[in-house]
Amino acid sequence: LFQWNIYGSVIMCRTYKEAVQIFAWLSEYFRLGGNRKMIIFDHNLSYEYGFWKDLWKVIPDRCFALDDHHPVTIYTEDGFVFRDSYKMTNMSLETLTKDWSRKWKKDKEIMDYSELRTPYTELPDNVYTYSALDVLSLSDAIEPFLEARNEKIWTKCPTSTSFIRKDLKKEIGIGVKNRTPQQHNYFKVLEWQKIDADIYKMLMRLARGGNTHANRAITGELLRNVCHFDITSSYPAQMVCYPEYPIGEWLDLEPGTEMETIELFERNGLCTMFDLVLDAPRLKKGVPVPYISTSKMTILKGSGMIATDNGRYMDGLDRIRITIFGMEWPIIKAQYNFDDAVILRGYFCRKGYLPDIIRNFVLKFYAKKTELKNVQGQEIEYMLNKIGCNSIFGLCYTNPYRDLWQITQEGIILKDPEDLSEFLEKYQKSISYFTCYSWGCAVACLGRIFLQRMIDACNIYDDEGNIIGSDFCYCDTDSIIALHPEVVRPKIRALEEEIKAFQRQCGLELTYYDIKGRPHELGGIDEEPMCDFRTYGAKKYATVEDGELKCTIAGVPKKAGGRIIGSLENFKLGINFKGSETGK
C-alpha cells in the first residue's frame, strides 16, 4: 500500500507500477524540475529508498547519507526532494504526531505485520483509514515542528542537531563582521585548540561514552525496594561547572613522564592526555564497576585466559596499553594493582572553563526548561528547551573526520577517504569548525568521573580503604541503582553537598525556579521512587514501580516489553521478544 498526503488529499495505490505513474503525474502536474521542487517527508526514508533507488534519478552532489543504509536527503532530477523526518526530528511517528499534530492523530496500532499480504489482498476499510492517518498526522506535525524552531519547510535541517547547530553558530558570531569581545575570545580558543593528525588519533583512542554497567555480584537476582538516584542534566552540568577543559595549545609530553608529574600538572591547571602502558594490571578485590574497557585497550603481552566483566578488564594480561585523560588516572590507580605504569606518548595544554558563550548557551536552555516544566500549554516549548540543553554536548562530540557517503544511481557508496592531515587543515579553516572535539571527549570523561563518585559512595570500606562490600547494583551514564536506601541515601546526600559547593564556584547562576517557585540546581542529584529490580547486564534490566512493570532491552519498547514479561519473576535469560508482540 503506497500513500501520499498532498495538501490534505490522500492518494493511495496498491502496486509498484501505479506508484511510478503517480510520481510521473505529480512531476508533470506541478511542473517540477529546475528550481521547482516538491519536498516529500518520509518517516523511514531508508526503507523507501530500497523500493525506489532504481526509479529515482538522483543528483549525487545534493544528496546526503549518514551511511550505506541511511539516506537523509535525496534530490532527484524530476524535481522531488525526499527528506527523512525521523532523522530530522529524532522521534518515532507515534511520538512526533502525539506531540506536534494539531488536527490529525496517528491511530492506535491495528496492523498485524506478521500477516502475509500481496498487492491484490483485499484490505478492510479500517486499514485504509489507519494508513491515511499515518501520512495526514505526519504532514500535520512537520509544519509546527519546524515553525517552533523558526524554520520553514524548504530550509535545510537534515538531522535533529541541525537546529541547535544553527543557533550556536549565530551565538558565537559566525558570519558576523563586528564580533563582541566574548565572540573574539571564543575564536582565540578555537585557534589554540587546533589539532594535527597525531592529536586527533589520540583523541579517538580515548573517546568513550557514558558508564553503563551492572554489579556482577547481583546479576540475575530479584531485588526489592532498591533506591534510584539521577544526576540533574549531567552533561550540561559538566559543561558549565568544571574548569577541566583543554583550552590552550597542545604541547608534547616527554616520553617516560612520571605519573607523579601528571598528577602535579593536573593539580596546577594543565590538562593532560596520554598513551599509558600498564604491566600486569589486575583489578582490586570488591570493585563493582571495572573502569578499563576491553574495547578501548590494546594487548601488548599475554594471550592466556583473560578475566573480564561484561566488556571490562579484570585480570590475566601481562601488559596492556590504554589512552586516557590525566583526570581519569585517579580512578585507574584506585581500582587496579599493577607492576609498572609508563607513558609512551602524550600531550598537555592549559585547562579551564569552556568559553562563556558555550556555558551561557547551555544555561539559557536549562533555565527555560526549568521554568516551563509541567506548565500546561507550554509542553512543546519545554520539550524544545530540554532537547536544546542536551544537544550541545552532541555538537562537541561529533567526530569531524568520519566516513563520507554519496548517493549515486548505483546506490550509496563510500567516498575515497581524504588524507587526514589535509582534511584537518581545511576543516579547521572552515566555518564547520566551531566546536572542539576535545571538549566533547572531556564532557563524557567528566560525566564518568561524577558517576564514579556516586558508585564509590555505595561501597563499604575497611579502615585501610579496601572495598569489603558494595550496595551498588547498576549504573547508566547519569544514574545509579543501589540496595539499602537507608544506608546509601545519607552518603549520596553528603556527596551532593560536596559537589554543589564546588560547582557554585563556577561564577554563573546555577539555580532556576519552576512555576511553583521550587528551586532546581544544575548538577544536583535527584532521588527517584524506590522500585523492584532485576538485571542481566548493561541495558538489560526490568523494574516494577508503583505496580507498573517496564523493561529496558535494546529494540524492545519499555511498556510492551513489560506486558510480554508479565512479572519480574518471569524476566529470565532465554526470554524471546517476538516482533509481532513488540511492534518492531
Side-chain angles (χ1 to χ4, degrees):
L1 182 62
F2 301 92
Q3 60 211 26
W4 297 256
N5 173 32
I6 309 293
Y7 298 117
S9 297
V10 177
I11 303 171
M12 292 184 174
C13 66
R14 296 295 303 277
T15 67
Y16 183 85
K17 183 178 179 180
E18 291 171 335
V20 170
Q21 292 171 341
I22 290 173
F23 272 120
W25 172 79
L26 288 172
S27 181
E28 181 180 352
Y29 183 82
F30 289 100
R31 292 180 291 171
L32 303 181
N35 292 326
R36 290 180 65 88
K37 308 290 183 186
M38 173 177 282
I39 299 172
I40 298 177
F41 289 95
D42 190 311
H43 214 65
N44 193 354
L45 185 57
S46 57
Y47 181 79
E48 304 292 348
Y49 176 70
F51 278 98
W52 300 112
K53 63 180 180 181
D54 294 329
L55 171 68
W56 294 337
K57 294 181 180 179
V58 302
I59 306 174
D61 291 343
R62 304 200 66 185
C63 297
F64 172 58
L66 295 175
D67 55 44
D68 57 340
H69 294 296
H70 292 97
V72 176
T73 304
I74 298 174
Y75 281 78
T76 70
E77 293 180 0
D78 47 359
F80 294 105
V81 180
F82 296 90
R83 291 185 179 164
D84 191 325
S85 51
Y86 174 71
K87 295 297 182 186
M88 184 182 75
T89 62
N90 199 28
M91 299 181 192
S92 67
L93 182 60
E94 182 180 3
T95 301
L96 175 66
T97 55
K98 177 184 175 184
D99 292 342
W100 293 95
S101 294
R102 293 173 290 197
K103 179 179 179 181
W104 303 101
K105 299 292 181 185
K106 176 177 166 58
D107 203 359
K108 63 182 181 180
E109 190 67 64
I110 64 168
M111 298 285 284
D112 179 1
Y113 290 100
S114 64
E115 183 181 336
L116 178 64
R117 300 181 183 87
T118 74
Y120 307 102
T121 302
E122 189 172 343
L123 300 176
D125 289 344
N126 67 338
V127 169
Y128 286 107
T129 301
Y130 167 84
S131 301
L133 284 171
D134 273 3
V135 290
L136 285 167
S137 59
L138 175 60
S139 302
D140 193 31
I142 289 296
E143 191 169 357
F145 177 87
L146 291 172
E147 285 177 355
R149 291 161 171 78
N150 298 313
E151 301 289 351
K152 303 296 183 182
I153 293 290
W154 54 86
T155 55
K156 296 178 181 179
C157 290
T159 64
S160 58
T161 58
S162 301
F163 307 102
I164 301 300
R165 185 179 290 109
K166 283 185 177 182
D167 290 345
L168 182 56
K169 283 184 174 180
K170 182 179 179 181
E171 195 79 13
I172 65 178
I174 285 183
V176 175
K177 290 183 179 179
N178 298 315
R179 290 175 176 155
T180 66
Q182 272 197 348
Q183 290 170 337
H184 277 295
N185 181 64
Y186 186 89
F187 282 94
K188 280 184 183 179
V189 176
L190 285 183
E191 184 67 28
W192 293 331
Q193 269 291 290
K194 285 184 176 180
I195 59 176
D196 60 22
D198 289 333
I199 296 173
Y200 168 83
K201 290 174 183 177
M202 183 166 286
L203 287 169
M204 287 299 295
R205 290 196 296 274
L206 65 73
R208 282 179 63 179
N211 196 354
T212 303
H213 202 75
N215 186 346
R216 58 194 176 279
I218 57 88
T219 298
E221 293 187 20
L222 200 164
L223 307 173
R224 303 290 186 186
N225 295 320
V226 298
C227 53
H228 182 188
F229 295 94
D230 280 333
I231 305 167
T232 305
S233 298
S234 176
Y235 286 156
Q238 315 310 322
M239 298 183 77
V240 171
C241 303
Y242 290 85
E244 302 293 329
Y245 290 90
I247 57 172
E249 182 183 356
W250 289 107
L251 302 172
D252 289 318
L253 274 175
E254 289 292 329
T257 298
E258 298 290 335
M259 296 313 300
E260 290 79 5
T261 303
I262 295 297
E263 294 170 359
L264 182 65
F265 278 11
E266 290 288 336
R267 288 196 302 269
N268 288 277
L270 295 176
C271 173
T272 62
M273 62 177 181
F274 44 86
D275 292 326
L276 179 67
V277 172
L278 297 176
D279 282 349
R282 51 213 180 266
L283 189 70
K284 294 179 181 179
K285 185 178 179 181
V287 174
V289 185
Y291 193 76
I292 296 176
S293 171
T294 55
S295 66
K296 302 297 290 187
M297 73 180 194
T298 302
I299 300 173
L300 300 180
K301 187 178 180 182
S303 57
M305 292 292 292
I306 304 173
T308 62
D309 174 17
N310 199 15
R312 306 297 177 86
Y313 175 77
M314 296 173 67
D315 200 349
L317 293 171
D318 298 324
R319 182 173 295 163
I320 65 170
R321 186 190 73 202
I322 58 175
T323 306
I324 60 172
F325 279 115
M327 56 184 162
E328 296 177 273
W329 168 242
I331 300 177
I332 303 293
K333 190 167 69 168
Q335 288 194 356
Y336 291 87
N337 290 315
F338 39 83
D339 294 345
D340 199 7
V342 178
I343 291 176
L344 291 182
R345 184 175 188 179
Y347 302 91
F348 70 96
C349 71
R350 184 165 56 90
K351 69 179 177 181
Y353 291 105
L354 287 176
D356 284 345
I357 284 183
I358 288 270
R359 299 165 73 209
N360 286 315
F361 193 65
V362 172
L363 284 173
K364 178 181 73 172
F365 286 107
Y366 180 75
K368 200 68 177 175
K369 179 192 82 161
T370 303
E371 177 188 326
L372 297 175
K373 189 172 184 178
N374 298 322
V375 177
Q376 191 172 3
Q378 294 294 323
E379 293 83 2
I380 289 176
E381 195 68 22
Y382 165 77
M383 185 166 43
L384 286 174
N385 283 279
K386 181 178 179 180
I387 292 170
C389 187
N390 293 322
S391 295
I392 303 165
F393 159 66
L395 293 182
C396 295
Y397 211 19
T398 300
N399 178 8
Y401 185 69
R402 54 192 184 276
D403 290 338
L404 295 178
W405 298 86
Q406 186 170 41
I407 302 175
T408 69
Q409 206 58 49
E410 290 73 36
I412 303 176
I413 61 172
L414 182 63
K415 290 184 178 181
D416 291 334
E418 189 173 358
D419 176 78
L420 176 57
S421 296
E422 293 178 3
F423 168 81
L424 289 172
E425 186 175 353
K426 286 193 294 185
Y427 166 72
Q428 291 172 149
K429 291 178 180 178
S430 72
I431 61 172
S432 297
Y433 177 57
F434 65 98
T435 62
C436 299
Y437 186 56
S438 59
W439 296 348
C441 295
V443 174
C445 178
L446 285 164
R448 293 192 301 272
I449 292 171
F450 193 138
L451 188 71
Q452 187 63 49
R453 297 182 70 182
M454 293 176 68
I455 295 168
D456 292 343
C458 299
N459 296 335
I460 304 165
Y461 300 87
D462 63 16
D463 293 339
E464 297 179 353
N466 300 309
I467 300 174
I468 57 175
S470 183
D471 290 319
F472 170 81
C473 297
Y474 186 86
C475 65
D476 189 347
T477 307
D478 61 358
S479 66
I480 65 164
I481 292 174
L483 295 167
H484 305 124
E486 70 284 356
V487 175
V488 172
R489 187 179 293 115
K491 294 195 286 186
I492 292 294
R493 289 297 163 227
L495 173 64
E496 181 184 28
E497 288 307 310
E498 181 185 336
I499 287 171
K500 283 183 175 180
F502 178 83
Q503 291 179 163
R504 289 166 184 162
Q505 299 175 34
C506 75
L508 297 175
E509 180 58 55
L510 303 179
T511 302
Y512 298 89
Y513 297 84
D514 63 23
I515 191 173
K516 295 183 178 180
R518 293 174 299 198
H520 297 266
E521 186 168 351
L522 180 68
I525 301 175
D526 292 334
E527 183 172 1
E528 303 295 329
M530 290 194 296
C531 63
D532 297 340
F533 177 80
R534 174 178 268 176
T535 181
Y536 287 96
K539 301 292 186 184
K540 296 184 283 290
Y541 66 87
T543 61
V544 176
E545 182 184 317
D546 294 330
E548 185 177 14
L549 175 64
K550 296 180 182 178
C551 76
T552 296
I553 297 174
V556 178
K558 288 187 177 183
K559 292 185 178 181
R563 288 194 301 270
I564 294 166
I565 295 169
S567 72
L568 209 54
E569 288 78 5
N570 293 335
F571 184 58
K572 299 177 181 179
L573 293 176
I575 190 168
N576 182 22
F577 295 91
K578 298 178 180 178
S580 58
E581 296 174 321
T582 63
K584 294 286 185 176

